[in-house]
Amino acid sequence: MRDYSEQTLTQAVLDRIAHAPDPRTRQMLQSLVRHLHAFVRELRPTEAEWATAIDFLTRTGQMCDERRQEFILLSDTLGVSMLVDTINHARGGATTETTVLGPFYVEGAPAVEPGADISGGLEGEPLFVEGIVRSSDGSVLANATVDVWQSDDEGHYDLQLSEPGVFFLRGRLRTDAEGRFWFWSIMPRSYPIPVDGPAGELLAAAGRHAFRPAHVHFMIAAPGHEKLVTHVFVKGDEYLDSDVVFGVKDSLVAEFERRTETLPLGGGRIGRPHRYLRYDFSLRNEREQSAA
Ligand code: BEZ
Ligand code: FE
């Protein structure tokens, strides 16, 4: 067949992919074509607008490297990342809620000892964090990996400031025999996501601000359990209700208490005024997951 019209073209494309061998790939392609064609039919773009869209996506790809992931930023700011999150992680129950991974996680962050200071000597209000990692049945999880990463006092991540391979305000801890982890850091700050690329252009075009409320990221893994990707947000932050990536859940907002007293655990800053976060995590047992 040839001579396709606005009315016949969509079905022609669908017919052409009807025999994609993998059923899930077929389903995805068919849905993509249906929605994409419906979008174009609704908008009726000019050819100049189509070229602008192609240029936008091209620049998004060109912006990506091992330190910058502009496609994740687009997904985050358009709410797609949190839609995928909510589809894949049921709310409520015994497990800690999840939120976006974001673009600043790196594989291979340095291992740090219990009580270590991950601030890399940066200025900021000292923060002591401690918690217990449990399974959803309540038992403690020893030797779980606890990856943490966060912004500095001015809202920047190490990836935005330092040479490749120079890490600060991130690290990988392991829980002790009682499931405990603890470390020193500095208070994170609310920050604008990077706006010097296509995702920033889109925010500006929509008249939106670019801020995320202050938070500390956690990725926690233990054998036999679903990996937990989440943050703990600072209670009282002005952006909790307008997070640019729609990532805030009430259960993840915590008090970062102002304290002065000596702590039972930790390193060199004991006794100095500091902020204190106690947050316990609960990971879904995979047996429970497959039974659900
Ligand atoms: C972050 O929290 O690191 C983040 C998440 C989504 C987009 C940009 C940053
Ligand atoms: Fe972050």
Side-chain angles (χ1 to χ4, degrees), residues 15 145 153 175 210 273:
D15 291 346
T145 56
D153 191 37
T175 54

Side-chain angles (χ1 to χ4, degrees), residues 73 76 100 102-104 149 157 191 193-194 212 215 217 231 245:
L73 281 184
D76 292 343
V100 283
F104 297 124
W149 67 105
Y157 284 80
Y191 60 87
I193 64 165
R212 298 219 63 207
H215 56 271
H217 292 258
H231 327 336
V245 304

